[in-house]
Amino acid sequence: MKFSDLAKMASGHVEARIVQAAVALGVFDALNGKALSSGAVASNLSTDPRATELLLNALTALGLLDKSQDRYSLTAVSKAHLLRNAPQSYNGMIEFDAALWECWGNLAAAVRSGQPMRAANMYQDDSRETERFIRAMDSLINARGDAAILENLFDWSNTAAMLDVGSGPGTYPIHLCRRYPELRITIFDLPGTLKVTERYIREAGMQNRFRLVAGDYRTDPIPGCYPVIFVSNIIHGESLEENEKLMGKLAAQLEPGGKIIIKDHILDNSRTHPAVGAVFSMLMLLTTRQGRCFSFDEVKEWLEKAGLIDIAQIGLPAPLTSTLVVAFRPSNR
């Protein structure tokens, strides 16, 4: 690493806050389909003209706006990902990250104490927090194209049913159901989350394809038996012991020959690579009681103890930053 890399890393919060502020103010939506002067943008947003010009220039320098003859317009990236109602809008994730700003500010305190810097409640205690969290997950999946990539990795044509544990907005199964009309989905998630999930499913017009079951996978029984169980971005929020227990519970819900698909940041045995997983573990320190990212060998051990076989890790293409782990229940069990 060079000094310039270190300096850029150490001040990375600056760019993040510029983008977060622009989204919060509605800068990109104000420029949708238009090329405006900074004064016109300030007038539309009721912001200070001088400050608005400085922000627009910074966004231009970052490649998120174009500037020509003192008029600003959207770039291809901002059109695709920074308009609130764009199909691949990333705004939900940006707003969620902004809401965690105080947590990150207390990182040193978290390292001293080993305790989270907010209630480790999976964003369930405040309906506004729940909504923001679930919208962020939907935003991230849609912006990156995760669901289409997952769809093309497996043959879903003969899959009649799937259990999605901790599905959040239901983005993955909604996407699969659009292509496979025979597929039926059971979602098991926390009650506060399911209030939001139900709306996403209703807006997709798929109420008859889904069964929503409220519960806590740590303590509550999970009904049914399934050929496929999908567990996306769940294990990083739990301890090693809790995950081992969860895999045993889920393995018991698999049909003979059925498979479990885990999607998460899976680390190597050093727990330092890929870097995104090691860094993400710091967010888990800030927001969960014992969560972190785990290595493939750790995940494999849980699955083996649960009696599953043919355990494999499947890499995912960029821009995805996570990995799949797939395991099967023996056909003769």
Side-chain angles (χ1 to χ4, degrees), residues 215-253:
D216 186 333
Y217 57 69
R218 302 178 190 94
T219 55
D220 296 325
I222 300 175
C225 196
Y226 307 90
V228 178
I229 297 177
F230 185 52
V231 185
S232 176
N233 296 325
I234 294 299
I235 62 172
H236 60 234
E238 305 295 342
S239 67
L240 188 150
E241 295 77 15
E242 196 66 57
N243 279 317
E244 182 176 316
K245 178 183 172 184
L246 176 61
M247 292 306 126
K249 177 185 283 191
L250 295 180
Q253 309 305 129

Side-chain angles (χ1 to χ4, degrees), residues 149-156 180 259 261 314 324 326:
I149 290 173
L150 181 74
E151 173 192 316
N152 293 324
L153 279 174
F154 301 98
D155 180 4
W156 300 90
Y180 298 100
K259 65 175 175 279
I261 303 170
I314 302 174
L324 300 182
V326 181

Side-chain angles (χ1 to χ4, degrees), residues 61-327:
L62 294 175
L64 297 176
L65 294 179
D66 286 326
K67 183 179 182 181
S68 177
Q69 297 180 344
D70 290 330
R71 290 181 177 270
Y72 301 86
S73 58
L74 300 179
T75 64
V77 168
S78 56
K79 285 179 185 176
H81 301 302
L82 294 173
L83 295 175
R84 176 163 296 275
N85 294 320
Q88 291 183 294
S89 175
Y90 193 54
N91 284 18
M93 194 67 206
I94 292 170
E95 291 166 346
F96 175 68
D97 282 336
L100 292 173
W101 188 252
E102 289 188 12
C103 277
W104 283 108
N106 290 315
L107 180 58
V111 174
R112 289 190 186 100
S113 68
Q115 298 301 311
M117 292 295 107
R118 54 156 287 128
N121 59 6
M122 290 305 297
Y123 310 97
Q124 293 294 297
D125 294 350
D126 184 325
S127 61
R128 293 169 299 179
E129 281 199 345
T130 307
E131 172 75 32
R132 183 168 56 214
F133 175 61
I134 300 306
R135 181 170 178 260
M137 299 305 101
D138 182 63
S139 169
L140 178 62
I141 294 167
N142 285 326
R144 285 195 311 210
D146 295 32
I149 290 173
L150 181 74
E151 173 192 316
N152 293 324
L153 279 174
F154 301 98
D155 180 4
W156 300 90
S157 57
N158 295 317
T159 302
M162 182 178 82
L163 169 67
D164 191 346
V165 180
S167 183
T171 311
Y172 287 106
I174 287 172
H175 184 94
L176 290 171
C177 282
R178 287 194 177 109
R179 179 166 174 181
Y180 298 100
E182 302 304 316
L183 182 61
R184 296 295 183 270
I185 305 294
T186 297
I187 289 179
F188 188 90
D189 214 326
L190 295 166
T193 294
L194 286 184
K195 291 179 182 178
V196 185
T197 311
E198 192 277 333
R199 190 180 73 246
Y200 279 89
I201 292 170
R202 185 175 66 252
E203 289 173 355
M206 293 185 175
Q207 299 94 313
N208 64 331
R209 307 280 296 279
F210 283 78
R211 177 175 65 142
L212 305 184
V213 181
D216 186 333
Y217 57 69
R218 302 178 190 94
T219 55
D220 296 325
I222 300 175
C225 196
Y226 307 90
V228 178
I229 297 177
F230 185 52
V231 185
S232 176
N233 296 325
I234 294 299
I235 62 172
H236 60 234
E238 305 295 342
S239 67
L240 188 150
E241 295 77 15
E242 196 66 57
N243 279 317
E244 182 176 316
K245 178 183 172 184
L246 176 61
M247 292 306 126
K249 177 185 283 191
L250 295 180
Q253 309 305 129
L254 276 176
E255 294 178 358
K259 65 175 175 279
I260 184 168
I261 303 170
I262 300 169
K263 180 180 178 292
D264 218 291
H265 296 298
I266 306 298
L267 298 171
D268 65 10
N269 286 336
S270 76
R271 297 183 194 152
T272 64
H273 184 80
V276 65
V279 171
F280 192 81
S281 288
M282 302 309 295
L283 178 59
M284 295 300 98
L285 170 66
L286 292 169
T287 60
T288 71
R289 291 186 181 89
Q290 293 290 324
R292 64 173 174 86
C293 294
F294 296 91
S295 70
F296 172 69
D297 283 352
E298 288 173 311
V299 178
K300 184 179 180 183
E301 184 175 355
W302 308 333
L303 296 169
E304 287 175 338
K305 286 183 177 180
L308 303 184
I309 61 172
D310 297 334
I311 302 163
Q313 184 173 359
I314 302 174
L316 296 172
L320 274 68
T321 57
S322 53
T323 304
L324 300 182
V325 177
V326 181

